[in-house]
Amino acid sequence: MSVDAKQTGIRKKGSKAQPAPKAEDTSEAVSMDEVWIEGGRKLRGSVPVSGSKNATLPILAATLLAPGIYRFTNVPNLKDVSTMLELLSLFGVRSKRDDDHGLFVDSTNARNAEAPYELVKTMRASVYVLGPLLARFGEARVSLPGGCAWGPRPVDLHIKGMQKLGAEVEIEHGYIVARCDKLRGSHISFEISSVGATGNILMAAAVAEGETVIENAACEPEIEALAQFLVSTGVGIDGVGTPRLTIHGARHLHPADAAMIPDRIEAGTFLAAAVITGGDVEATNVEPDHLGAVFGKLEEAGAEVYVGERSVRVRAPDRPQALRVATAPYPGFPTDMQAQFMALLSVAGGTSVITDTIYQDRFTHVAELQRLGADIRVEGNTATVHGVPSLSGAPVMATDLRASAALILAGLVAQKETRVSRIYHLDRGYERIEEKLQGLGAAIRRVRV
Ligand code: EPZ
């Protein structure tokens, strides 16, 4: 019985791969696509960065708060954005993209409904509708997200925050069921900094009666962007961008337009790609202020970093230098750059130590990097990376969004060919990454196997 590539995922020698259509094709087609990379090219040139996925997702959820029409620009064409718009359509929210990253959203006729497990399990950020549904309709039924590739992803802080605002919250058959006739302002102090919980509580507090104070609020630029958007809809918020937010609940909110901030993680990924290949790359349409910690580590790795108004250029050393890095809430080194830096440091001169203080087990990319010849030891939430002179290309499997980016980076420098499968993970958070890397001289292509 002949087993074709579809079943094994591995092509027979010599058979010709078909060029795959664009990522926005049917999800089935995308799930069988792979990215093939011929390593060894130094990346050179300029690459435009798209709008931020993690700012877009909560801002889209916030359109449930005030009925009306919203116009957004610099919205990235990503699977996760499509998933959020699909989720919102279940609540009667209509949307229409234009062909240059513009997006119209109409929540005039939004009605309450359930955020179903089938959708929420594919994207944890779906839980962002909890606060807006509670705020607008007085009740919400949102599936618990379940775990992700690297372990449990609790939402207890979201739930505790809603309860502090006066909501009754039960967990029924895997769903968060929250009810509250009138949300009331409260003093909420998060024991740990949580991007999602801060965003959810911000949106619920936007229409709560009275004042809400959030202590230890997340300061990520994406949450600052959400707060600024809420202010533009009529919410009074003091301390935007700081760990202490004071929200003055508004009786009436109105729609507003917004331009999405640049995606700092996409930018950081391209800068890391420049360094791992020994290249010279300028990322444009970026907000350099959002990348301070990443610039510091790139310089520590031996790169020259030239910061412009809305761009940054990185010139790589012949070989990256080893370093120690620990992730931390913003403005610390982002956990979403941890996997990419592990790929970079796997070819550095010397031994590096990478600690992820945000997620204890965000290391699913380690086993795949080891297949490419990386020498990595993991103990708890710390990885020790002994830099090797070179990696060797092999078939590898993406396990989550940033792990897939790490495998692409490793493939750019590995000898011969690296084939990354399950790249639907990649399409969740990177817009046309293979085309952008081709533009920098990489020998990379998307193929259907
Ligand atoms: C956001 O996820 C990002 N996602 C993640 O980016 C990012 O890794 C993460 O923040 C940390 O920066 C979006 O913005 C859509 P958290 P979120 O709540 O909000 C624990 C990517 O690659 N926690 O800040 O889910 C949690 O387990 C994605 O774009 C609780 O214990 O992260 C983690 O250890 C991956 N209880 C820590 O807090 C809760 O109720 C930080 O998580 C919530 C979180």
Side-chain angles (χ1 to χ4, degrees):
M1 171 189 76
S2 80
V3 180
D4 74 12
K6 275 204 186 309
Q7 284 148 306
T8 65
I10 296 168
R11 299 193 55 69
K12 289 195 290 290
K13 202 94 190 87
S15 53
K16 199 160 166 10
Q18 303 304 320
K22 295 276 174 280
E24 51 273 7
D25 274 18
T26 60
S27 55
E28 166 56 29
V30 168
S31 68
M32 293 309 288
D33 289 355
E34 293 186 356
V35 163
W36 291 3
I37 308 145
E38 198 65 35
R41 305 273 187 92
K42 291 180 185 295
L43 300 190
R44 291 196 192 302
S46 178
V47 61
V49 169
S50 300
S52 164
K53 165 175 84 80
N54 292 349
T56 300
L57 296 176
I59 287 174
L60 290 181
T63 61
L64 282 166
L65 286 172
I69 294 178
Y70 300 74
R71 170 150 170 62
F72 299 122
T73 55
N74 199 35
V75 177
N77 281 328
L78 300 172
K79 182 80 178 82
D80 273 12
V81 172
S82 304
T83 302
M84 179 58 84
L85 292 173
E86 183 186 345
L87 175 62
L88 291 172
S89 70
L90 301 182
F91 304 108
V93 176
R94 300 184 314 157
S95 60
K96 184 172 175 0
R97 286 177 189 270
D98 70 21
D99 53 8
D100 184 26
H101 299 97
L103 174 70
F104 284 94
V105 173
D106 182 355
S107 67
T108 308
N109 301 312
R111 62 184 181 280
N112 204 354
E114 175 181 285
Y117 175 59
E118 295 68 29
L119 240 173
V120 175
K121 73 179 177 184
T122 69
M123 184 181 70
R124 171 185 165 80
S126 306
V127 80
Y128 269 135
V129 298
L130 176 63
L133 290 173
L134 202 48
R136 178 148 177 201
F137 301 114
E139 63 176 318
R141 273 182 66 81
V142 178
S143 168
L144 284 167
C148 73
W150 66 81
R153 298 284 296 276
V155 289
D156 57 311
L157 300 176
H158 299 241
I159 291 168
K160 283 181 199 153
M162 299 303 165
Q163 288 168 329
K164 288 281 283 185
L165 294 173
E168 296 284 318
V169 184
E170 305 289 335
I171 303 296
E172 291 170 10
H173 308 297
Y175 279 73
I176 304 165
V177 181
R179 289 186 186 84
C180 184
D181 295 337
K182 186 70 194 134
L183 292 165
R184 281 185 176 62
S186 177
H187 191 288
I188 296 166
S189 179
F190 285 124
E191 61 258 44
I192 51 173
S193 170
S194 162
V195 171
T198 302
N200 235 329
I201 299 308
L202 254 177
M203 292 188 276
V207 296
E209 205 160 70
E211 187 178 275
T212 297
V213 173
I214 303 177
E215 305 272 11
N216 197 19
C219 299
E220 272 67 5
E222 297 75 28
I223 292 301
E224 182 176 349
L226 171 65
Q228 285 166 347
F229 173 67
L230 290 173
V231 167
S232 70
T233 67
V235 187
I237 304 178
D238 301 327
V240 173
T242 76
R244 181 187 165 92
L245 297 172
T246 304
I247 302 104
H248 310 283
R251 286 188 192 293
H252 298 291
L253 301 183
H254 51 77
D257 297 346
M260 298 304 171
I261 60 171
D263 193 308
R264 62 194 168 102
I265 304 302
E266 184 195 11
T269 302
F270 286 123
L271 300 179
V275 178
I276 199 171
T277 59
D280 180 347
V281 168
E282 179 192 47
T284 58
N285 304 342
V286 304
E287 178 46 79
D289 291 351
H290 294 165
L291 282 153
V294 175
F295 293 165
K297 288 300 171 186
L298 289 172
E299 285 171 335
E300 215 178 308
E304 294 166 24
V305 179
Y306 302 94
V307 179
E309 189 69 25
R310 301 282 295 166
S311 66
V312 59
R313 178 179 174 188
V314 163
R315 298 182 67 180
D318 292 339
R319 185 181 186 188
Q321 288 155 33
L323 52 84
R324 300 177 74 90
V325 58
T327 67
Y330 190 86
F333 187 86
T335 174
D336 291 349
M337 282 297 300
Q338 181 257 99
Q340 299 92 310
F341 256 67
M342 190 178 289
L344 167 57
L345 295 171
S346 64
V347 292
T351 297
S352 301
V353 178
I354 303 173
T355 303
D356 200 323
T357 69
I358 307 291
Y359 296 107
Q360 304 308 308
D361 46 10
R362 190 178 190 170
F363 292 122
T364 53
H365 40 285
V366 170
E368 298 303 308
L369 289 170
Q370 287 167 334
R371 279 184 48 73
L372 299 173
D375 180 351
I376 305 168
R377 304 258 184 296
V378 174
E379 195 146 333
N381 65 335
T382 295
T384 301
V385 184
H386 299 286
V388 294
S390 66
L391 297 173
S392 61
V396 288
M397 187 177 74
T399 50
D400 64 77
L401 169 56
R402 305 305 173 183
S404 31
L407 296 175
I408 298 259
L409 262 56
L412 290 171
V413 74
Q415 289 168 351
K416 302 250 184 296
E417 186 177 70
T418 296
R419 296 179 178 182
V420 185
S421 61
R422 301 193 181 184
I423 55 162
Y424 52 86
H425 290 292
L426 202 60
D427 296 327
R428 293 189 49 175
Y430 288 98
E431 184 178 342
R432 300 180 301 105
I433 191 169
E434 74 277 7
E435 290 173 35
K436 293 188 178 184
L437 288 170
Q438 283 164 5
L440 294 173
I444 181 172
R445 59 197 172 111
R446 178 186 290 259
V447 298
R448 180 167 305 166
V449 291

